[in-house]
Amino acid sequence: MARTKFPVEVLTPEGEVFNDEVEMVSTRTATGSIGILANHTPLLAMLDPTELRLYRSESEIVRYAQGEGYLQVADGRALILVEDAIAPGQLDAADLTEKLRAAEDAYARAQDGSEEQRLAARDRRRWEAFQRIAAGA
Amino acid sequence: MAQRDVKNRIASVKNIQKITRAMEMVAAARLRRAEQRIEALRPYAGAIRRMTRQAAEAAGNVPALPILAEHESEERVALLLVTADRGLAGAFNSQIIRAGVRTAADYQAAGKQIVYYATGRRGVSSLTFRGTEPEQGFTGFTERPTYANAREIAHCLMAAYVDGKVDRVEVLYNGYISPISQEVRRETLLPLQQATILEAETPEEADRPTGHTALVEYEPEPEEILQRLVPDYVEISIYRALLESTASELGARMTAMRNASDNAGDIITDLTLEMNRARQAEITQEIMEVVGGAEALS
């Protein structure tokens, strides 16, 4: 049975990547995985890097490698703001390996407990998540 | 100059003109794309702003984050100079370097230390040449900066500020006004002003409800969301500076190349005139010789 559709917009600093009606949005907030259906209660959530899935229907799924971001549900619409939204096919495994290594180096170099280290950890987490998506794609 | 030399010079100036024309057209085409990218950032930046105000309203205030806190004493000032990887754009790069050096001199006169950061090969090499090597240089993307580039720079500067390596961060870049007009802008990035965060872009926006009601769920708590939302302002500010700088670079290059093409046109006109005169003089000379010869025979 087809579910009720609702409008979803995915925005990045480089422009809009998706703006259409979907049945379900699946992503990951700072507290865990989350699925959004139509008529969800108003929400403001912080998103962590993961694979963003937009279900146009049971079988038609649009996927993106999603960086850190935010999800707002209000007035029956979902607005997803993310720093990156890359189609899994566009991910470059070699490039990701290099970025991950750079982040690991930065993490190892940084002083324990410093802001530098904290930021390197966030970079590492993003590239790890993207690498997993690239491997699955 | 002999006729043949003038002819060669005309040919070489014409070749230069072809190149400058082509560069002008390439810059014009890229400029349009750069302008679109500035436009594309607007909805994202606006949405981040609205979410921040919503979360701040829910939290009751903005948490005391280290990037918002002024340091007790201001001894080391970081200057981020936004330049281009390439030249041939008029005063584009040099006016940033000049403004940076002047700002640095003012701070040094007040007894402060300067730490340079630079984007673009031109900025990095100029600073290195002056013996003031940048703490970190970011190069290879100034023709088409991405948000990831801005994030890298922002993280580097925020880490330096929060870890107490610098006490203030300023950025100098070419602000984009129109294809023919750019201005050097100097902005303070850190400490971030709380007023900047909560300020609405337009008066209408200020009147609009932020969307916060008792019904809204927050995941995690609004305070925690703000801890990540607020640093995004620094990333967005840097990204906007990079995009405006790119548009300005292309605008400046377009103008510089148009002037170069016009100058080449002037030189070609002058040289053509000179060549015609030389040819005319030669013909006159030959006629005189023929007439002189005929006279001698009669």
Side-chain angles (χ1 to χ4, degrees):
Chain A
M1 193 192 80
R3 293 201 182 96
T4 320
K5 292 197 169 191
F6 63 103
V8 173
E9 203 179 335
V10 181
L11 272 183
T12 73
E14 290 167 34
E16 185 182 279
V17 294
F18 185 91
N19 190 354
D20 201 1
E21 305 226 313
V22 301
E23 291 182 354
M24 184 171 86
V25 174
S26 153
T27 180
R28 203 158 70 94
T29 74
T31 46
S33 292
I34 187 173
I36 307 279
L37 297 172
N39 303 314
H40 195 281
T41 55
L43 171 76
L44 185 64
M46 187 157 96
L47 302 177
D48 281 350
T50 187
E51 185 176 62
L52 170 68
R53 296 195 199 103
L54 305 160
Y55 292 79
R56 279 210 169 101
S57 68
E58 287 283 335
S59 53
E60 200 196 341
I61 307 168
V62 181
R63 295 161 196 270
Y64 293 104
Q66 159 207 297
E68 290 178 352
Y70 311 91
L71 163 69
Q72 184 186 45
V73 182
D75 310 323
R77 336 171 34 95
L79 174 62
I80 298 169
L81 291 184
V82 283
E83 342 173 281
D84 314 272
I86 308 164
Q90 308 260 304
L91 291 174
D92 176 352
D95 183 48
L96 288 175
T97 312
E98 199 177 303
K99 281 177 171 154
L100 181 58
R101 191 171 323 125
E104 276 167 351
D105 286 352
Y107 185 85
R109 233 185 6 251
Q111 227 169 4
D112 277 342
S114 66
E115 180 75 4
E116 195 180 346
Q117 193 181 43
R118 227 172 44 77
L119 291 170
R122 270 168 67 182
D123 277 339
R124 187 177 60 182
R125 189 181 57 167
R126 176 184 329 106
W127 305 129
E128 275 170 356
F130 281 18
Q131 211 171 35
R132 272 196 301 275
I133 297 164
Chain B
M1 230 192 296
Q3 231 190 102
R4 185 190 307 238
D5 294 339
V6 181
K7 219 176 199 168
N8 284 340
R9 277 209 62 196
I10 291 177
S12 76
V13 173
K14 271 192 178 150
N15 279 334
I16 294 173
Q17 193 185 32
K18 267 185 215 151
I19 294 169
T20 54
R21 275 260 158 74
M23 286 182 78
E24 180 194 334
M25 283 190 292
V26 169
R30 289 202 179 139
L31 174 62
R32 223 156 322 163
R33 250 171 294 154
E35 278 177 329
Q36 284 165 0
R37 300 182 73 223
I38 297 176
E39 282 304 308
L41 171 63
R42 220 157 276 188
Y44 180 86
I48 289 279
R49 220 170 253 280
R50 276 195 302 281
M51 279 188 194
T52 309
R53 288 172 52 222
Q54 179 184 347
E57 204 172 308
N61 65 340
V62 177
L65 298 173
I67 57 165
L68 290 166
E70 271 180 44
H71 289 183
E72 267 172 29
S73 65
E74 194 180 289
E75 278 161 21
R76 290 159 66 82
V77 179
L79 295 180
L80 172 67
L81 306 188
V82 181
T83 66
D85 282 336
R86 293 208 296 151
L88 294 175
F92 177 84
N93 291 307
S94 57
Q95 65 190 11
I96 289 295
I97 303 288
R98 217 176 312 130
V101 170
R102 207 178 311 132
T103 309
D106 288 348
Y107 274 122
Q108 277 158 344
K112 290 169 188 175
Q113 263 178 291
I114 297 293
V115 182
Y116 284 106
Y117 289 84
T119 73
R121 276 186 206 107
R122 292 278 148 168
V124 173
S125 65
S126 294
L127 287 174
T128 310
F129 176 72
R130 282 167 191 270
T132 47
E133 206 165 323
E135 176 77 17
Q136 198 152 348
F138 306 90
T139 58
F141 56 77
T142 66
E143 285 243 320
R144 199 180 188 287
T146 63
Y147 191 73
N149 299 131
R151 183 174 57 210
E152 187 193 348
I153 300 167
H155 281 188
C156 174
L157 294 172
M158 281 193 279
Y161 184 78
V162 174
D163 293 337
K165 291 184 182 126
V166 297
D167 306 309
R168 183 186 185 81
V169 180
E170 291 186 4
V171 60
L172 287 120
Y173 67 100
N174 279 293
Y176 181 73
I177 301 167
S178 75
I180 49 162
S181 140
Q182 301 91 31
E183 63 172 11
V184 175
R185 286 200 199 131
R186 178 175 152 198
E187 287 165 11
T188 301
L189 286 176
L190 296 166
L192 194 60
Q193 299 299 308
Q194 192 155 333
T196 327
I197 305 169
L198 297 178
E199 160 192 80
E201 202 144 321
T202 55
E204 298 89 73
E205 206 182 278
D207 293 337
R208 229 162 77 182
T210 59
H212 168 70
T213 60
L215 293 172
V216 181
E217 276 177 40
Y218 291 89
E219 243 188 78
E221 290 304 305
E223 288 81 3
E224 256 180 84
I225 299 182
L226 282 170
Q227 285 185 11
R228 202 198 278 163
L229 264 171
V230 172
D232 281 354
Y233 279 79
V234 181
E235 292 177 13
I236 292 173
S237 300
I238 291 177
Y239 185 52
R240 185 176 291 131
L242 292 181
L243 289 182
E244 289 215 16
S245 174
T246 300
S248 301
E249 175 193 343
L250 295 168
R253 180 162 304 129
M254 209 173 85
T255 312
M257 289 302 117
R258 180 176 305 146
N259 290 340
S261 305
D262 290 351
N263 287 343
D266 290 348
I267 291 174
I268 290 169
T269 314
D270 289 351
L271 286 174
T272 310
L273 199 63
E274 196 179 317
M275 190 180 73
N276 289 344
R277 277 206 190 110
R279 196 191 54 203
Q280 195 59 54
E282 221 169 280
I283 292 168
T284 311
Q285 178 76 28
E286 277 170 23
I287 293 175
M288 300 277 274
E289 278 165 13
V290 170
V291 171
E295 263 171 15
L297 286 176
S298 64

